[in-house]
């Protein structure tokens, strides 16, 4: 009994220290908030936050789970949405559910929605008031939206907003929260990019090709996406006619090479895209100024895979994943590729960053 009590005491101390580090990681404000990521450090996938300057890491939650994934910061930097397997003692055990944790040094972890099937890919609206996700219910994958009643209340009533019957993958919210863009896989009658207005009835088909990974520009004037043609991926741009997405859209190639270009992410300025290109024989990080005629700029130069680039909230830095030291680690660099810094130093996989 004494050993059990001592073990529980040390667990509480460890959790307290982790919370203190976590508070310190994000205490400098939104521009310097920590990078949330997934680590397999404890022999299962858990959510951590790492300080972009010091490299100090702390776990976000220590739920009895074998799988956590897909972490996403809320726009105000005070909450994190993520995917986790339900504990064996809970209802729906074994399913993937969406959770929200408040970053306040406590253990406030709440299930956002719990349905009969798996829930994945949480996406916040720009105002932090709603989260969209994909849920598989009765063998069908559809997009759902749930409203958060208040900052600390993650209990809402999910609304199913698609019923197409095709396999769906979430892309992005429009900056004004009016539209959700998502992709569908399947036959020529369903594949492509689609828009759904969660507040209304409109469902619009934007493209009819094998298109995926759509991301909205911060000003709402364009959508960058990846088009897969005969196994090669290039980055394209969608723009509405007369600022109305209900009208026919303009589609044009933006970044193309004989090798794959993919994983686009807009900088906060709305003019710059960071992405991954395999044109040099292995995946490297590039940036492209969409409002200029200059060629893309290569930021990483090595012989290993660099991937999953994300911008800091102020647009001055980029976090990414590299396997330079064997297993994948989280790195950060300035927007021009300088001041590269390895943030995690593990012999396990660290991945899926969000800043």
């Amino acid at each position: 009994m004494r050993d059990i009590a001592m073990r529980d005491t040390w667990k509480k101390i460890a959790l307290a220290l982790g919370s203190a580090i976590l508070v310190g990681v994000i205490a400098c404000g939104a521009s310097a908030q920590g990078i949330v990521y997934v680590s397999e450090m404890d022999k299962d996938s858990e959510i951590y936050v790492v300080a972009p300057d010091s490299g100090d890491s702390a776990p976000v939650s220590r739920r009895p789970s074998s799988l956590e994934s897909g972490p996403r910061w809320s726009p105000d930097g005070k909450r994190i949405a993520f995917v986790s397997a339900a504990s064996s003692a809970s209802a729906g055990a074994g399913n993937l559910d969406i959770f929200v944790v408040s970053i306040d040094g406590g253990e406030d972890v709440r299930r956002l929605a719990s349905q009969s099937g798996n829930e994945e890919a949480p996406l916040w609206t720009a105002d932090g008031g709603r989260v969209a996700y994909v849920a598989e219910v009765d063998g069908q994958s559809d997009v759902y939206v749930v409203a958060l009643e208040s900052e600390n209340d993650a209990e809402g009533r999910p609304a199913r907003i698609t019923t197409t019957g095709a396999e769906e993958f979430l892309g992005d919210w429009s900056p004004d929260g009016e539209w959700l863009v998502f992709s569908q896989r399947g036959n020529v009658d369903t594949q492509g990019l689609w828009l759904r207005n969660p507040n209304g009835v409109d469902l619009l088909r934007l493209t009819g090709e094998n298109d995926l990974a759509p991301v909205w520009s911060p000003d709402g004037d364009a959508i960058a996406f990846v088009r897969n043609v005969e196994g090669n991926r290039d980055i394209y741009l969608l723009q509405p006619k007369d600022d109305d997405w209900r009208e026919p859209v303009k589609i044009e190639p933006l970044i193309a090479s004989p090798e794959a270009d993919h994983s686009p992410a807009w900088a906060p300025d709305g003019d710059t895209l960071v992405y991954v290109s395999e044109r040099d024989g292995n995946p490297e990080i590039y940036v492209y100024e969409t409002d200029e005629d200059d060629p893309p700029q290569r930021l990483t130069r090595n012989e290993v895979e660099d991937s999953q680039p994300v911008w800091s909230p102020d647009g001055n830095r980029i976090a990414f994943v590299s396997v330079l030291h064997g297993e994948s680690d989280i790195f950060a660099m300035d927007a021009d590729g300088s001041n590269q810094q390895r943030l995690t130093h593990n012999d396990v996989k660290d991945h899926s960053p969000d800043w």
Side-chain angles (χ1 to χ4, degrees):
M1 295 294 293
R2 183 177 182 273
D3 290 340
I4 294 175
M6 184 63 71
R7 184 176 61 200
D8 290 343
T9 299
W10 279 112
K11 181 178 180 180
K12 292 178 181 178
I13 292 173
L15 287 172
L17 289 173
S19 297
I21 294 173
L22 185 56
V23 171
V25 163
I26 63 171
C28 297
S31 64
Q33 74 181 26
I35 300 166
V36 63
Y37 67 100
V38 177
S39 179
E40 300 178 12
M41 192 184 311
D42 295 326
K43 297 182 180 180
D44 57 13
S45 299
E46 292 186 354
I47 307 300
Y48 282 73
V49 172
V50 60
D53 297 321
S54 67
D56 292 334
S57 288
V60 170
S61 73
R62 291 186 177 273
R63 299 183 65 254
S65 169
S66 60
L67 179 65
E68 294 180 347
S69 62
R72 291 292 181 268
W73 280 110
S74 63
D76 61 7
K78 295 180 179 180
R79 293 166 292 175
I80 296 171
F82 64 97
V83 179
S84 180
S87 65
S88 59
S90 66
N95 288 339
L96 298 178
D97 293 323
I98 306 296
F99 288 79
V100 171
V101 56
S102 297
I103 305 302
D104 57 3
E107 289 290 305
D108 183 17
V109 182
R110 300 191 183 189
R111 181 183 283 114
L112 182 62
S114 181
Q115 291 160 274
S116 59
N118 290 330
E119 303 160 4
E120 299 182 89
L123 285 173
W124 296 89
T125 50
D127 64 3
R130 290 176 292 172
V131 173
Y133 61 94
V134 174
E136 183 180 343
V137 180
D138 298 329
Q140 181 170 320
S141 173
D142 287 303
V143 178
Y144 289 74
V145 172
V146 61
L148 278 67
E149 296 179 3
S150 67
E151 180 175 303
N152 294 318
D153 186 356
E155 299 176 356
R157 297 179 62 85
R160 180 179 176 182
I161 65 168
T162 64
T163 56
T164 63
E167 188 177 13
E168 297 168 346
F169 299 85
L170 263 180
D172 204 3
W173 283 96
S174 62
D176 60 8
E178 181 178 359
W179 298 101
L180 265 171
V181 60
F182 61 96
S183 62
Q184 286 189 5
R185 309 284 173 84
N187 57 44
V188 295
D189 295 327
T190 60
Q191 71 178 9
L193 302 184
W194 295 72
L195 287 186
R196 166 61 89 186
N197 176 5
N199 298 321
V201 297
D202 289 337
L203 175 65
L204 310 177
R205 190 179 187 183
L206 299 179
T207 72
E209 304 296 328
N210 188 5
D211 300 328
L212 61 151
V215 286
W216 227 296
S217 63
D219 58 12
D221 291 339
I223 296 173
F225 67 96
V226 175
R227 173 162 290 180
N228 190 328
V229 180
E230 297 181 352
N232 184 48
R233 291 166 290 172
D234 292 315
I235 298 175
Y236 279 65
L237 195 68
L238 275 173
Q239 293 178 297
K241 180 180 180 181
D242 299 327
D243 296 325
D244 188 353
W245 289 99
R246 295 174 179 83
E247 299 295 330
V249 294
K250 178 183 178 181
I251 306 174
E252 59 180 345
L254 188 65
I255 302 166
S257 70
E259 304 299 332
D261 300 293
H262 54 89
S263 306
W266 290 97
D269 65 13
D271 296 323
T272 309
L273 275 176
V274 64
Y275 67 100
V276 176
S277 179
E278 300 179 24
R279 66 185 64 192
D280 301 297
N282 62 289
E284 301 280 359
I285 309 297
Y286 279 72
V287 291
Y288 178 67
E289 301 291 339
T290 61
D291 61 344
E292 299 179 4
D293 295 328
D294 295 334
Q297 178 186 357
R298 182 179 175 182
L299 300 186
T300 61
R301 298 178 180 273
N302 52 65
E303 301 301 324
V304 301
E305 179 180 354
D306 302 320
S307 62
Q308 303 177 33
V310 293
W311 292 94
S312 63
D314 59 13
N316 291 330
R317 304 191 75 193
I318 297 168
F320 63 100
V321 174
S322 180
V323 297
L324 183 63
H325 299 281
E327 297 290 359
S328 56
D329 286 299
I330 307 299
F331 285 72
M333 60 184 167
D334 290 348
D336 61 0
S338 63
N339 192 27
Q340 295 184 7
Q341 180 182 6
R342 181 185 179 188
L343 298 180
T344 63
H345 299 74
N346 305 314
D347 295 327
V348 298
K349 294 179 180 179
D350 300 324
H351 55 88
S352 306
D354 188 47
W355 200 333

